[in-house]
Amino acid sequence: MKQKLSLFLLPLIVLSVNSWCGAVNKYVAIGSDGDGLSWTTAKGSIKSTVESCQAGDTVFIASGTYNEYISIVDGVSILGGYNASTGERDIERFETILDGTDLGKYLLVKYDSPCENPTLIEGLTLQNAEHSSDGGGAYIRANITLSKCYITNCKGANGAGVYNDGGVVKDCIIELCSATSSGGAIRNEGGIVENCIMRGNQGKYGTVRNENGGIVRNCIIHNNAATVEGWPNSGGIYNPGGIVANCIIACNYGPEWVRAIMPP
């Protein structure tokens, strides 16, 4: 019986391995204009490099400030925080910045549909984005993980820092972002937000809006503000339909509610 089971599984395993055999690493560094296949021949644009990739590829980005936005490609990992000269990675020392000055839109986006393959975005600073609709710094969907990112001074209608439609936001700092409606830091629609710090943000109806079964856990939410009079104006979390667990919510401001509004 074991022999038969092994024989049936083998073709599936081979197919799975083969599907990723063509995966390519690509490299981006400020001022470069190569083919992107090594640090010495890196490309200069994150956007064009990501758009040239397919599922399974990984884009490594050197430190510097890039004034461009990125359309997320299904299954393509984007990793910042590298030293192009040595290949060493340190997210804080070799800061990779996406700057939205004068772009008039989000910096990271997957608007059309969820990803079918796991897609990791890690080690980026998103700053100075301004978008008239949902998602200031980033708009992500299912199967996308936004990890170890610093998001600051971004603006949007809902989710000024991040609009999370079923994805995962973890180990991020979101600060000094502002929304004209819900979620100065993040609007979480059925996704997971964990191990994040959200501070100094403001939203018309609060810093975090969590609904449709969304989960916010192990987060610190402090010194944020709701900017409108009346209900629901929570300086901390407006939670009409999700789970909030093991969070510290402190020193927030709202004309009526300062911590969290929970469903009945």
Side-chain angles (χ1 to χ4, degrees), residues 29-126:
I30 292 287
S32 298
D33 190 25
D35 59 14
L37 296 179
S38 70
W39 283 121
T40 56
T41 62
K43 285 180 173 288
S45 167
I46 306 171
K47 184 178 187 297
S48 63
T49 303
V50 171
E51 289 175 353
S52 71
C53 291
Q54 59 185 3
D57 293 352
T58 301
V59 177
F60 301 90
I61 312 169
S63 60
T65 300
Y66 301 80
N67 184 219
E68 56 182 326
Y69 73 93
I70 301 171
S71 295
I72 297 168
V73 174
D74 190 346
V76 175
S77 295
I78 303 170
L79 309 179
Y82 287 90
N83 182 328
S85 299
T86 64
E88 180 186 0
R89 191 184 196 202
D90 188 311
I91 292 170
E92 294 185 2
R93 287 171 56 206
F94 308 123
E95 190 176 12
T96 300
I97 301 170
L98 292 185
D99 186 274
T101 302
D102 297 327
L103 294 180
K105 60 175 64 183
Y106 32 67
L107 290 166
L108 281 169
V109 65
K110 187 68 170 71
Y111 247 152
D112 52 353
S113 61
C115 288
E116 294 183 3
N117 301 287
T119 304
L120 174 64
I121 316 293
E122 184 181 80
L124 302 177
T125 292
L126 309 181

Side-chain angles (χ1 to χ4, degrees), residues 198-263:
M198 289 164 269
R199 61 197 180 198
N201 305 285
Q202 65 177 23
K204 186 176 180 181
Y205 298 118
T207 298
V208 179
R209 179 167 178 155
N210 184 49
E211 57 192 332
N212 292 336
I215 299 172
V216 179
R217 62 192 178 202
N218 304 327
C219 291
I220 299 174
I221 302 165
H222 70 96
N223 292 98
N224 304 283
T227 59
V228 70
E229 296 285 342
W231 187 93
N233 57 0
S234 168
I237 298 178
Y238 173 41
N239 185 51
I243 297 170
V244 179
N246 198 35
C247 292
I248 297 173
I249 305 171
C251 302
N252 301 289
Y253 169 79
E256 292 186 16
W257 305 88
V258 296
R259 293 184 180 178
I261 296 178
M262 302 295 199

